[in-house]
Amino acid sequence: MSETKDKIVLHWLQHSRATRILWLLEELKLPYEIKVYKRDSQYRAPQELKKIHPLGRSPLVEIIPEGTSKPVVLAETGYIIQYLLDHYNPSGELVPSSPENRELVKYYLNYTEGTLQSLLVSLLVNSKAKSSAPFGFGFLMNKLVGGINQAYYLPELLSNLSFLDAQLAKQSGGYFAGDRLSAADIILSFPLYENTFANPERASQTLGQSINLVEKFPHIHKWSEKIKDEPGYIKAGKILESKL
């Protein structure tokens, strides 16, 4: 357990990307509290989260430094991870030893949410648009959204998956930055493992076509097999199961 006496609170939203922060807190052996929020009937975050941060999104982390009462509120996954590594990681856990791989971690903290996740979100939104089209407009909406996906989002996503598979091929240890787990693997776990390789059926729906992910992206597949067996990842999942 870390020696810090700061109070750390993770605001975790059901079916969100916040699980990665819980996993990170476990890896860093930090004391923390977790507050769980459930989505409403429209799959939106509850208004209570806006009391923590004006945008009302998750993950959110509140840190109340020892001796103060005013919380530091952290939003955005990549920023939260970097902040926790900078302030609560004196032993250098989850940070590679080589300068090159340390820079890689910083890159992936920005790339994952800025590039990769935006493609997945766009495809998800387009999928919802197809299913929620007004009566009589379903065919037109399918043609419109399908054309946009085929022209841009799907080729871009496949290009990014190929890029990541090639990046892993360069790493002899099977992780994204060096030969052991780093913050890069934690942030990439949501889009790559949970949203894709752990759920082939959903991946096929997202991609709009049947693709053998194991054959097409073998290095990501091997990495995914490592991720699902990581003790910290497993523990985070069990903690959330007990909260829901």
Side-chain angles (χ1 to χ4, degrees):
M1 185 78 65
S2 170
E3 295 297 324
T4 183
K5 294 183 180 179
D6 296 351
K7 181 179 179 180
I8 301 174
V9 181
L10 168 62
H11 297 272
W12 182 85
L13 175 64
Q14 179 187 29
H15 304 309
S16 75
R17 311 174 202 177
T19 303
R20 293 174 292 185
I21 305 303
L22 176 56
W23 181 10
L24 177 65
L25 291 169
E26 285 294 325
E27 293 288 346
L28 295 177
K29 297 180 174 57
L30 289 170
Y32 64 88
E33 296 179 18
I34 179 170
K35 294 185 178 181
V36 175
Y37 301 80
K38 293 188 177 181
R39 294 182 182 272
D40 61 23
S41 59
Q42 301 299 313
Y43 206 69
R44 303 289 295 175
Q47 289 296 308
E48 290 93 322
L49 277 173
K50 289 191 175 181
K51 296 177 182 178
I52 311 301
H53 188 277
L55 293 180
R57 303 182 66 185
S58 178
L60 291 174
V61 170
E62 276 187 295
I63 299 176
I64 303 177
E66 182 184 10
T68 69
S69 58
K70 184 179 180 180
V72 176
V73 179
L74 308 176
E76 301 297 336
T77 302
Y79 175 64
I80 294 171
I81 291 175
Q82 190 64 65
Y83 187 98
L84 293 175
L85 291 177
D86 289 345
H87 291 80
Y88 300 98
N89 187 33
S91 61
E93 295 294 327
L94 306 176
V95 178
S97 57
S98 79
E100 180 181 3
N101 282 328
R102 285 199 297 271
E103 292 303 316
L104 261 182
V105 169
K106 293 177 184 178
Y107 167 75
Y108 286 124
L109 291 182
N110 287 275
Y111 161 84
T112 302
E113 296 291 290
T115 298
L116 182 60
Q117 191 64 51
S118 65
L119 294 171
L120 291 167
V121 169
S122 296
L123 287 166
L124 175 63
V125 170
N126 285 352
S127 175
K128 294 291 185 182
K130 290 181 182 180
S131 61
S132 60
F135 180 76
F137 289 88
F139 175 78
L140 179 61
M141 183 63 72
N142 283 339
K143 291 289 287 183
L144 175 62
V145 171
I148 294 172
N149 288 347
Q150 291 294 332
Y152 181 74
Y153 292 119
L154 288 171
E156 283 295 309
L157 178 57
L158 290 172
S159 176
N160 275 265
L161 292 176
S162 295
F163 162 71
L164 291 168
D165 199 68
Q167 289 293 102
L168 278 170
K170 299 176 184 178
Q171 297 284 351
S172 59
Y175 292 100
F176 272 100
D179 58 1
R180 61 186 174 92
L181 183 75
S182 76
D185 304 292
I186 290 177
I187 197 168
L188 282 163
S189 66
F190 182 80
L192 287 184
Y193 175 61
E194 294 185 18
N195 269 238
T196 309
F197 281 77
N199 196 338
E201 182 178 348
R202 180 176 178 180
S204 293
Q205 293 174 348
T206 300
L207 295 169
Q209 52 190 296
S210 180
I211 292 179
N212 188 321
L213 294 172
V214 175
E215 289 184 359
K216 192 168 182 64
F217 309 109
H219 297 96
I220 301 179
H221 169 66
K222 291 179 182 178
W223 170 86
S224 295
E225 293 297 299
K226 285 178 177 285
I227 292 302
K228 75 176 184 181
D229 292 330
E230 283 288 339
Y233 177 79
I234 294 171
K235 185 176 181 180
K238 290 181 177 178
I239 291 171
L240 292 176
E241 285 179 7
S242 70
K243 297 286 185 179
L244 294 175

